[in-house]
Amino acid sequence: MSDKLSALRSVMRRESIDAFIFPSTDPHNGEYVPEHWKCREWISSFNGSAGTAVVTLNEAALWTDSRYFIAAAEQLQGTGFELMKDGIEGTPTISQWLGRKLSFSGGNCVGIDGMVMSANDIDALISDLRKEGGITVRTNFDPLAEIWTDRPEIPLNPVEIQPLEYAGETAESKLSRIWQAVRGNHACGILVSALDDIAWTLNLRGTDVHCNPVFVSYLLIAEDATTLFINEKKLTREVRDYLKSINVKVEPYENVRKALKAYKGYNIIMDKASTCYTLYNDVKVKVENIVSPIPYLKAIKNETEVRGFREAMKRDGVALVKFLRRLKPAVEKGGETELSVAQKLTSLRTEQPFYRDISFDTISAYQEHGAIVHYEPTAETDAQVRAEGFLLLDSGAQYQDATTDITRTIALGPLTDEQRKVYTLVLKGNIQLAMLKFPDGVSGTQIDAIARMDMWREGMNYLHGTGHGVGSYLNVHEGPHQLRMQWKPCPLRANMTVTDEPGLYLEGRFGVRTENTMIIIPYKETEFGRFLQMEPLTLCPIDTEPIILEMMKPEEIEWLNEYHKRVREELLPLLEDEEDREWLKTETRPLPPPSPVGREPES
């Protein structure tokens, strides 16, 4: 690590750069990025999905959010990087920190690669640093192009066609709907940078990004032509012919800058929040800073996609039942670890038809590791799993007809009263949100508190979002809608997928999260308008052993019993092993109503 920082600082001195910023993103503003663009991880050794590293000529710091405070503190030990807990009172912003450090050292130039950060974020950075004493920002230089000598190449994996039987809508139809939205905004074209948006639009898939079936490219939809910018080595003859049949031209990936500089339309839509700074400023015509219509179009699933989700969840449920039935006996026998548990679950999923990959790295977190929100076991952290306490297991799969995402917290043996209470609070939050009826078009922020209300009464909370969209054999995290405390204005509509995943995390002790992937469906229409509700897509028993029944409302127990009845009815016909069948019947048996003992009599 010291060698990397020394090499970087040597280049910075030569280029008269006093500090350099390494975000977590890539030229496509992706949450998960190809190895080629994992610059922040390479320079800092922190491998979480969110974070920003900043290096001056004398110091280094890394900002990350609450999901990674514990993991980052461990990974940054001995690296020369100081951990900055983003969002916590007293933590300076990157601009404030740089203002102080450069004021002391006399520096005034900050570097950042303009290809790997959005135009919005760099413009905000330029403005903030100007206020910190006239610090300037250089965006046309990538020092790692010189010092990262074994840097991975941009992937060359082949692209494949997503058949209409799974996509449910032709690419021509999607392009037509996108073009209508573009013209509706009085624009002559749109640049699409987000890889999942491109894959969805063209009904193509790839393997360039870990766990996400996408491929590195840009898509320019203009009045005179639609052009895919991609390394042509990735295209088979079949895909070339397909693109030609839907009137999509192909140009080399690196030609996108030249094409934007030569763009002849009157104006072009480029979402400043998702288009990198360099490309945004390459265009010579008027740029319309408008949110791309594609994420919203993609978020509302068609009938074929919904059917795919339902079928994929059955197969996923079968794999999970087989896994859970064997888990406790294996743990009691001894020798199981977090990694071995995760590997066994993945192995059972691979046996299912249409399985393609995991949808994210499995979070297999035993006891205190469960308090690390996005913990992923490694050879160094792999803990022995014992027949006591909680195992938090957050996992998912990519099937060709859908993407899955599920979390279960499993009691492996004796629990403390605190663990039972926390488990029950989290389950109540999950069920209360699942039971909610809400007006068509409300935002996720307006209903997020429903999952938190019982926790808040206890003075407890979690800092991550409660729900996110899920792609149809695409990214497991899909917007634009979200359920979270922070304001997210996107309206919720029927046929959107969304997760329901409240949690509580007690540092150094344990964590609990319960998650189902849901589909939003119509509820009823009254004189007050349309109302919606959520229906679980996920089919897997929820561990009832830790529940404190006296904390549960009758309606919550009724909901859980009905959910388990459905899980049992959907999965039993698909299970061949009699032991799996009997286990499922036992785990989904109805719970009795809560005991009135200890409650005040009703008036």
Side-chain angles (χ1 to χ4, degrees), residues 34-55:
E35 298 293 327
H36 177 81
W37 286 294
K38 289 187 176 180
C39 301
R40 184 264 300 154
E41 180 177 334
W42 185 83
I43 198 65
S44 71
S45 293
F46 170 63
N47 65 3
S49 66
T52 302
V54 184
V55 180

Side-chain angles (χ1 to χ4, degrees), residues 141-257:
F141 182 63
D142 174 13
L144 299 197
E146 181 175 333
I147 66 172
W148 189 356
T149 55
D150 59 348
R151 186 172 185 172
E153 297 295 325
I154 297 173
L156 292 175
N157 302 323
V159 174
E160 63 181 32
I161 299 168
Q162 175 72 339
L164 187 60
E165 63 185 291
Y166 305 122
E169 182 183 8
T170 66
E172 296 98 320
S173 173
K174 293 176 180 179
L175 285 165
S176 176
R177 289 203 289 146
I178 295 166
W179 185 247
Q180 287 176 16
V182 170
R183 296 305 292 160
N185 283 295
H186 308 289
C188 300
I190 181 172
L191 177 71
V192 187
S193 297
L195 301 185
D196 59 328
D197 287 354
I198 297 170
W200 176 84
T201 299
L202 299 179
N203 287 344
L204 296 174
R205 298 293 188 269
T207 57
D208 284 355
V209 179
H210 180 54
C211 299
N212 296 334
V214 297
F215 49 94
V216 175
S217 58
Y218 291 98
L219 185 65
L220 179 61
I221 303 173
E223 205 160 20
D224 57 341
T226 297
T227 306
L228 178 67
F229 296 89
I230 188 170
N231 189 317
E232 295 189 50
K233 293 179 181 178
K234 302 163 66 65
L235 304 181
T236 64
R237 170 57 60 187
E238 180 187 18
V239 173
R240 288 173 186 271
D241 291 344
Y242 166 75
L243 289 170
K244 186 177 180 180
S245 74
I246 61 173
N247 297 314
V248 174
K249 295 169 54 181
V250 175
E251 286 198 27
Y253 176 72
E254 61 274 11
N255 280 12
V256 66
R257 291 195 67 185

Side-chain angles (χ1 to χ4, degrees), residues 66-67 373 425-426 429-430 433 447-456 459-467 483-486 499-505 512-514:
S66 62
R67 296 172 297 169
V373 180
L425 285 171
V426 170
N430 177 280
L433 184 60
I447 65 174
D448 174 85
I450 300 299
R452 302 175 189 264
M453 59 183 181
D454 286 295
M455 302 176 191
W456 286 352
M460 306 175 84
N461 194 24
Y462 55 97
L463 299 182
H464 61 72
T466 302
L483 311 184
R484 59 174 56 248
M485 290 193 296
Q486 297 81 4
T499 60
D500 174 1
E501 51 178 310
L504 285 173
Y505 312 94
V512 174
R513 185 162 64 252
T514 300

Side-chain angles (χ1 to χ4, degrees), residues 210-212 346 349 355-362 396-398:
H210 180 54
C211 299
N212 296 334
T346 298
R349 279 190 165 119
Y355 174 86
R356 303 303 298 270
D357 198 357
I358 55 175
S359 56
F360 55 96
D361 288 313
T362 299
Q398 295 284 6

Side-chain angles (χ1 to χ4, degrees), residues 343-403:
Q343 289 162 357
K344 286 180 178 179
L345 176 55
T346 298
S347 177
L348 286 166
R349 279 190 165 119
T350 62
E351 298 173 1
Q352 296 303 311
F354 304 110
Y355 174 86
R356 303 303 298 270
D357 198 357
I358 55 175
S359 56
F360 55 96
D361 288 313
T362 299
I363 298 172
S364 176
Y366 180 63
Q367 288 289 70
E368 64 270 19
H369 285 165
I372 305 172
V373 180
H374 275 202
Y375 170 81
E376 296 167 12
T378 65
E380 292 74 29
T381 66
D382 190 21
Q384 193 83 15
V385 178
R386 302 183 304 276
E388 60 178 319
F390 279 140
L391 173 69
L392 190 158
L393 199 62
D394 188 348
S395 67
Q398 295 284 6
Y399 299 96
Q400 188 155 16
D401 49 357
T403 301

Side-chain angles (χ1 to χ4, degrees), residues 420-431:
R420 291 183 182 278
K421 179 180 179 180
V422 167
Y423 183 93
T424 307
L425 285 171
V426 170
L427 179 58
K428 285 168 67 69
N430 177 280
I431 293 175

Side-chain angles (χ1 to χ4, degrees), residues 335-562:
E336 294 295 335
T337 70
E338 293 168 329
L339 278 175
S340 72
V341 163
Q343 289 162 357
K344 286 180 178 179
L345 176 55
T346 298
S347 177
L348 286 166
R349 279 190 165 119
T350 62
E351 298 173 1
Q352 296 303 311
F354 304 110
Y355 174 86
R356 303 303 298 270
D357 198 357
I358 55 175
S359 56
F360 55 96
D361 288 313
T362 299
I363 298 172
S364 176
Y366 180 63
Q367 288 289 70
E368 64 270 19
H369 285 165
I372 305 172
V373 180
H374 275 202
Y375 170 81
E376 296 167 12
T378 65
E380 292 74 29
T381 66
D382 190 21
Q384 193 83 15
V385 178
R386 302 183 304 276
E388 60 178 319
F390 279 140
L391 173 69
L392 190 158
L393 199 62
D394 188 348
S395 67
Q398 295 284 6
Y399 299 96
Q400 188 155 16
D401 49 357
T403 301
T404 70
D405 186 3
I406 174 177
T407 307
R408 292 292 183 262
T409 304
I410 305 144
L412 296 176
L415 301 172
T416 65
D417 290 343
E418 180 183 48
Q419 286 175 317
R420 291 183 182 278
K421 179 180 179 180
V422 167
Y423 183 93
T424 307
L425 285 171
V426 170
L427 179 58
K428 285 168 67 69
N430 177 280
I431 293 175
Q432 283 295 329
L433 184 60
M435 293 191 303
L436 184 67
K437 320 301 180 190
F438 50 94
D440 183 13
V442 304
S443 81
T445 306
Q446 291 170 298
I447 65 174
D448 174 85
I450 300 299
R452 302 175 189 264
M453 59 183 181
D454 286 295
M455 302 176 191
W456 286 352
R457 291 192 185 104
E458 298 291 333
M460 306 175 84
N461 194 24
Y462 55 97
L463 299 182
H464 61 72
T466 302
H468 57 82
V470 178
S472 177
Y473 184 37
L474 271 174
N475 296 5
V476 72
H477 291 156
E478 185 176 271
H481 60 297
Q482 295 183 37
L483 311 184
R484 59 174 56 248
M485 290 193 296
Q486 297 81 4
W487 174 240
K488 293 289 181 180
C490 177
L492 299 178
R493 303 292 189 194
N495 279 14
M496 283 182 168
T497 54
V498 66
T499 60
D500 174 1
E501 51 178 310
L504 285 173
Y505 312 94
L506 285 69
E507 185 173 348
R509 284 174 280 174
F510 63 93
V512 174
R513 185 162 64 252
T514 300
E515 174 190 18
N516 281 342
T517 299
M518 318 288 282
I519 182 80
I520 299 175
I521 61 174
Y523 171 54
K524 66 168 61 173
E525 190 163 351
T526 72
E527 62 184 299
F528 298 98
R530 291 190 192 91
F531 284 77
L532 305 173
Q533 61 185 345
M534 288 185 277
E535 175 190 330
L537 289 168
T538 301
L539 297 170
C540 178
I542 294 170
D543 195 350
T544 58
E545 195 281 327
I547 299 173
I548 300 175
L549 285 176
E550 291 74 20
M551 290 176 58
M552 300 283 284
K553 297 177 181 178
E555 64 178 2
E556 293 167 345
I557 291 181
E558 181 182 357
W559 183 94
L560 185 57
N561 286 341
E562 284 298 314

